[in-house]
Amino acid sequence: MKKIITVVGARPQFIKAAAVSRAFRDAAGFEEKILHTGQHFDSNMSDVFFEELDIPRPHFHLGIGGGGHGKNTGRMIEQIETVLVDERPDWVLVYGDTDSTLAGALAAVKLHIPLAHVEAGLRSFNKRMPEEINRKLTDHASDLLLTPNASAVETLAAEGISGRHVVNVGDVMYDAALVFGEKAEAKSSVLRVLDLGPGTYVLATVHRQENTDAPVRLRNIFSGFAASPLPVVLPLHPRTRQRIAAFGVDIPGNVRVVDPLGYLDMVMLEKNAALIATDSGGVQKEAYFHGVPCVTLRDETEWNELVQLGWNTLASPERDDLAGVFSKKYLPGQLGAAPYGNGDAADRILKELTDYN
């Protein structure tokens, strides 16, 4: 029996963990315990995801959130280390690129516990992003690097990381999209509650620090939204809400602000949007999985294949002419490609954890 400690703390990790935890429950020979750092502490951004995605309740909840990167990461390392010393797992499993990811990685390697990184090998090549530092350090500390696509394998090789411990398993978010897209259709009532019809709105998310903490970028984004011929539905991240108030950013009349949503409601809005505008790495992919064009509000993306396939358009918020971006009509991109595997990434991850030596 292999004991796994899975470290999560933020929305994208809950979604990825949902797919892999389902596979753990269906397979013999694994005992998984989930450690939630508390990085996302709002109930709409944490508790509801566990309920909707049928993720087992965390065995450990550290309740660490709301502070700066250094403070949060340091406190997480200390408390994760305590759990690992008590549990002595066979593997620590981390996801993505958050402070929780890096904290779990450092705590594991200092104790010489094997570390597996799901979504390894992604790079924006922008070191000003905290996420870029987190994922790069985690990759270089990991024993097993589980990549979502072929280009991530090439990126790791360019950094001197290659061999049997680098495996392209596909993207677990695709696994989740296949399962929970159907569940959202059956259970979500968000379109009725918000009185929205398919293809009648733009769905937007803005939360990344490089945008929320930069007054010029934040104003440019909302000025761009103002030019949209369709209403913009904006589930508002708590930090973004604070920055809008602090910087005196005007919210255009065509922007409909709603509270953060559960995963199934968010999926339903994604599936039915005419366009998605986001600075989230995960939402970019979800747009593609649901066949919706996407504008990425960043200077670069980790998912360049979606730009090449015509599903994703980069729009830097440094520009003050984003009106042109949102006043045009977007068509679907290239069909038939499968850059993220076949929806069996979770099963392949379990196989790699089993076979590793």
Side-chain angles (χ1 to χ4, degrees), residues 126-177:
N126 178 1
K127 288 188 176 181
R128 292 179 61 84
M129 291 174 56
E131 295 87 353
E132 181 78 354
I133 305 304
N134 291 343
R135 57 184 163 234
K136 191 166 186 176
L137 293 177
T138 299
D139 280 343
H140 282 262
S142 293
D143 299 283
L144 181 59
L145 296 101
L146 302 160
T147 75
N149 55 29
S151 63
V153 176
E154 297 172 359
T155 297
L156 291 171
E159 294 179 8
I161 305 173
S162 61
R164 172 67 186 85
H165 60 299
V166 177
V167 186
N168 179 16
V169 296
D171 198 320
V172 292
M173 288 192 70
Y174 185 34
D175 295 30

Side-chain angles (χ1 to χ4, degrees), residues 181-199:
E182 293 184 4
K183 192 172 182 180
E185 293 279 358
K187 293 198 170 186
S188 173
S189 60
V190 69
L191 293 181
R192 175 179 56 79
V193 170
L194 296 180
D195 192 24
L196 296 170

Side-chain angles (χ1 to χ4, degrees), residues 202-230:
V202 174
L203 176 64
T205 72
V206 182
H207 79 278
R208 196 169 290 273
Q209 184 176 344
E210 65 188 79
N211 288 332
T212 61
D213 292 2
V216 170
R217 292 173 73 94
L218 201 55
R219 289 193 182 95
N220 286 345
I221 288 170
F222 280 91
S223 294
F225 290 164
S228 171
L230 294 176

Side-chain angles (χ1 to χ4, degrees), residues 53-282:
L53 301 181
D54 193 26
I55 306 172
R57 284 289 169 180
H59 291 77
F60 312 97
H61 197 305
L62 306 186
I64 298 170
H69 290 291
K71 179 180 179 180
N72 280 353
T73 306
R75 292 168 64 206
M76 288 176 192
I77 293 170
E78 181 179 11
Q79 294 193 38
I80 293 170
E81 181 181 70
T82 298
V83 172
L84 297 184
V85 168
D86 290 341
E87 294 290 329
R88 300 308 303 184
D90 297 288
W91 283 96
V92 170
L93 188 64
V94 296
Y95 293 85
D97 56 16
T98 69
D99 291 344
S100 300
T101 308
L102 181 60
L106 291 176
V109 298
K110 295 284 187 177
L111 294 171
H112 308 293
I113 298 171
L115 174 68
H117 185 199
V118 177
E119 210 174 69
L122 300 182
R123 298 290 184 269
S124 66
F125 303 101
N126 178 1
K127 288 188 176 181
R128 292 179 61 84
M129 291 174 56
E131 295 87 353
E132 181 78 354
I133 305 304
N134 291 343
R135 57 184 163 234
K136 191 166 186 176
L137 293 177
T138 299
D139 280 343
H140 282 262
S142 293
D143 299 283
L144 181 59
L145 296 101
L146 302 160
T147 75
N149 55 29
S151 63
V153 176
E154 297 172 359
T155 297
L156 291 171
E159 294 179 8
I161 305 173
S162 61
R164 172 67 186 85
H165 60 299
V166 177
V167 186
N168 179 16
V169 296
D171 198 320
V172 292
M173 288 192 70
Y174 185 34
D175 295 30
L178 293 175
V179 172
F180 295 110
E182 293 184 4
K183 192 172 182 180
E185 293 279 358
K187 293 198 170 186
S188 173
S189 60
V190 69
L191 293 181
R192 175 179 56 79
V193 170
L194 296 180
D195 192 24
L196 296 170
T200 62
Y201 60 91
V202 174
L203 176 64
T205 72
V206 182
H207 79 278
R208 196 169 290 273
Q209 184 176 344
E210 65 188 79
N211 288 332
T212 61
D213 292 2
V216 170
R217 292 173 73 94
L218 201 55
R219 289 193 182 95
N220 286 345
I221 288 170
F222 280 91
S223 294
F225 290 164
S228 171
L230 294 176
V232 177
V233 178
L234 177 65
L236 198 55
H237 190 286
R239 185 177 67 243
T240 310
R241 187 184 294 273
Q242 294 169 1
R243 297 300 190 271
I244 288 170
F247 299 148
V249 175
D250 292 328
I251 298 179
N254 67 329
V255 174
R256 183 174 179 181
V257 173
V258 299
D259 288 334
L261 297 169
Y263 181 58
L264 296 183
D265 284 344
M266 189 66 180
V267 167
M268 197 63 177
L269 287 179
E270 290 172 348
K271 287 169 67 74
N272 288 279
L275 176 70
I276 292 174
T278 185
D279 58 9
S280 162

